[in-house]
Amino acid sequence: MSARGRVRTAVLISGRGSNLAALLSAAEDAGFPAEIVLVISNVERAAGVRVAEDANVPCRIIPHGAFPSREAFDAAIDAALKEARVELVLEAGFMRIHSDGFVRKWEGRILNIHPSLLPAFKGLNVHQRVLESGVSITGCTVHFIVAELDSGPIILQAEVPVEAGDTKASLAARVLAVEHKLYPEALRMVASGRVKLENGVAVFGEDC
Ligand code: GRF
């Protein structure tokens, strides 16, 4: 833990960084159990890099293309996390799949947010597929990361209605607004020890 007893947390991004902004904003509260101590982007020009800079949070650019393999890229991420004494990793629009070794090493200490009600609509192009499917309820999910994509034990979910006339953009915006509340809440739960990954299962404490 950091000097103030807050869990030292890193956020991994590849793009816009709106979830990063929501997490930073929640962590501004001194009573919040996590502190964002590092942002890592694999994309140098990602808008989220500016979000980190504006918040005066150290941001490391680690371009995946500079490494010969997934393992080597993950080793560089792991080294940056270690150097910053990171305890918890949150992926927020991070568009790379990790090596199994990296996932195993961070098991129970690495989370992701996905813009659907998992296990429905794993993968990419979610909102388009939601609209095509005709479902009337979608949502977002925060889960522990495991080796299989978008398949880890669920920490928190929220529903979002699909409305008549929705476009991909209007639906994405409605879901994103909910993501911005859900991710800080999930971080609060994990950082305060109210939910843990035990033997591959999310275990919730009594006060959850
Ligand atoms: C979010 O919709 C998140 O659920 C998904 O990627 C998007 C990232 O958006 N994994 P942002 O970069 O946080 O604005």
Side-chain angles (χ1 to χ4, degrees), residues 11-23 47-48 91-95 112-116 123-124 126-127 139-141 150 172 175-176 179-180 183:
V11 183
L12 271 53
I13 62 166
S14 300
R16 180 178 51 189
S18 70
N19 277 289
L20 167 64
L23 293 163
E91 307 213 334
F94 184 67
M95 301 302 287
N112 182 44
I113 187 158
H114 184 78
S116 76
L124 297 174
V126 170
H127 303 300
C140 47
T141 303
D150 298 330
V175 172
L176 194 65
E179 292 184 43
H180 295 162
Y183 216 1

Side-chain angles (χ1 to χ4, degrees), residues 71-186:
E71 286 74 16
F73 173 58
D74 280 346
I77 292 177
D78 191 57
L81 297 172
K82 192 171 175 194
E83 193 182 311
R85 290 177 290 115
V86 167
E87 299 162 294
L88 189 59
V89 178
L90 269 62
E91 307 213 334
F94 184 67
M95 301 302 287
R96 306 301 299 175
I97 294 172
H98 291 295
S99 53
D100 287 356
F102 181 89
V103 172
R104 259 197 309 278
K105 181 164 183 186
W106 284 93
E107 194 178 63
R109 300 180 295 146
I110 184 163
L111 321 183
N112 182 44
I113 187 158
H114 184 78
S116 76
L117 285 180
L118 291 173
F121 304 104
K122 296 177 183 179
L124 297 174
N125 201 15
V126 170
H127 303 300
Q128 178 70 41
R129 289 186 288 126
V130 164
L131 289 173
E132 284 166 3
S133 75
V135 294
S136 58
I137 305 283
T138 183
C140 47
T141 303
V142 179
H143 62 94
F144 287 108
I145 291 180
V146 297
E148 197 186 332
L149 189 69
D150 298 330
S151 299
I154 290 168
I155 298 166
L156 266 187
Q157 291 187 302
E159 290 183 354
V160 175
V162 180
E163 289 174 6
D166 256 339
T167 62
K168 219 163 85 169
S170 65
L171 182 58
R174 193 174 313 113
V175 172
L176 194 65
V178 177
E179 292 184 43
H180 295 162
K181 297 194 182 85
L182 197 74
Y183 216 1
E185 188 48 34

Side-chain angles (χ1 to χ4, degrees), residues 9 23 32 34 36 88 90 183-192:
T9 302
L23 293 163
F32 194 77
I36 313 296
L88 189 59
L90 269 62
Y183 216 1
E185 188 48 34
L187 172 56
R188 180 193 295 279
M189 289 168 66
V190 175
S192 62

Side-chain angles (χ1 to χ4, degrees), residues 29-50:
D29 175 355
F32 194 77
E35 177 182 12
I36 313 296
V37 296
L38 178 67
V39 173
I40 296 176
S41 175
N42 65 316
V43 177
E44 186 170 2
R45 289 162 180 266
V49 171
R50 270 298 293 277

